[in-house]
Amino acid sequence: MRRKLYLSVFLFCLLGVGVMRVQAQTSMTLKFQDGTEKSAGLSAVNKITFSDSGLFMNYVGCSNESFTLNSIRKIVFGTSMGTSSILSDKQDIIVYPNPATNYIALKKAPEGELSVAIYRLDGAQMMNVQFSSASETIDVSRLEKGFYFLKVNNKAFKFTKL
């Protein structure tokens, strides 16, 4: 029961953020009850998993870290980690339509080769494609309804499948 409550709160937060303008999410910060914080770049995170009592993070390179849910006060996804290389990149990729039913497309994507991956909220990779043109669309008709993360050239976005 508690797991459903945590998952519902997490999904509600994502839905609330999802109605805002989509921007690249590049970092995640865990804020703890004791006032401390732990930040990680999303490009370094391979998988995030929630269990009945904890949050489990698997990093690229196979290192792991776990936290108890009652020790976490807040999870914040940010658009930058304060480094000049990220701040100087002003390319705002737009995922549309959002919410999607059959396909999604990328607006303002950089020209050239694009690596695109789609992940469920539990971290499972659902799709991985390579594009040679930003004008191509991605068929999402086979995905189940729900919230997804889209990773484009190591930048993360959220979208909803109806």
Side-chain angles (χ1 to χ4, degrees):
M1 183 65 184
R2 214 171 172 183
R3 182 178 184 200
K4 287 183 180 180
L5 175 64
Y6 286 122
L7 186 58
S8 297
V9 169
F10 182 70
L11 291 175
F12 178 75
C13 292
L14 282 178
L15 179 62
V17 172
V19 296
M20 295 182 218
R21 184 169 175 246
V22 176
Q23 294 182 336
Q25 304 295 302
T26 58
S27 66
M28 180 179 88
T29 302
L30 298 173
K31 297 185 178 189
F32 297 99
Q33 298 291 355
D34 65 3
T36 60
E37 296 182 2
K38 165 85 176 164
S39 294
L42 289 181
S43 62
V45 177
N46 188 38
K47 186 175 183 181
I48 301 170
T49 308
F50 289 91
S51 68
D52 288 337
S53 62
L55 176 129
F56 181 77
M57 292 178 60
N58 174 266
Y59 295 98
V60 174
C62 299
S63 63
N64 298 310
E65 200 167 13
S66 61
F67 308 94
T68 60
L69 288 180
N70 60 3
S71 70
I72 299 172
R73 182 173 50 91
K74 193 177 200 179
I75 301 173
V76 178
F77 291 91
T79 55
S80 71
M81 291 178 49
T83 62
S84 59
S85 63
I86 293 173
L87 290 176
S88 65
D89 183 10
K90 294 293 184 180
Q91 185 81 26
D92 286 353
I93 297 174
I94 299 170
V95 179
Y96 70 94
N98 192 8
T101 52
N102 295 318
Y103 73 93
I104 56 175
L106 305 175
K107 188 176 185 179
K108 295 186 178 181
E111 290 298 321
E113 189 73 21
L114 295 176
S115 175
V116 179
I118 296 177
Y119 298 90
R120 290 189 318 216
L121 285 181
D122 66 0
Q125 185 175 20
M126 302 305 295
M127 196 179 297
N128 189 10
V129 294
Q130 299 290 324
F131 285 167
S132 58
S133 169
S135 62
E136 294 184 47
T137 61
I138 303 165
D139 181 8
V140 295
S141 60
R142 294 184 183 160
L143 296 176
E144 293 181 20
K145 294 178 181 180
F147 296 99
Y148 292 88
F149 292 109
L150 179 74
K151 186 176 175 184
V152 180
N153 289 354
N154 292 322
K155 291 186 180 183
F157 304 90
K158 297 177 289 282
F159 78 95
T160 305
K161 166 68 168 69
L162 297 178

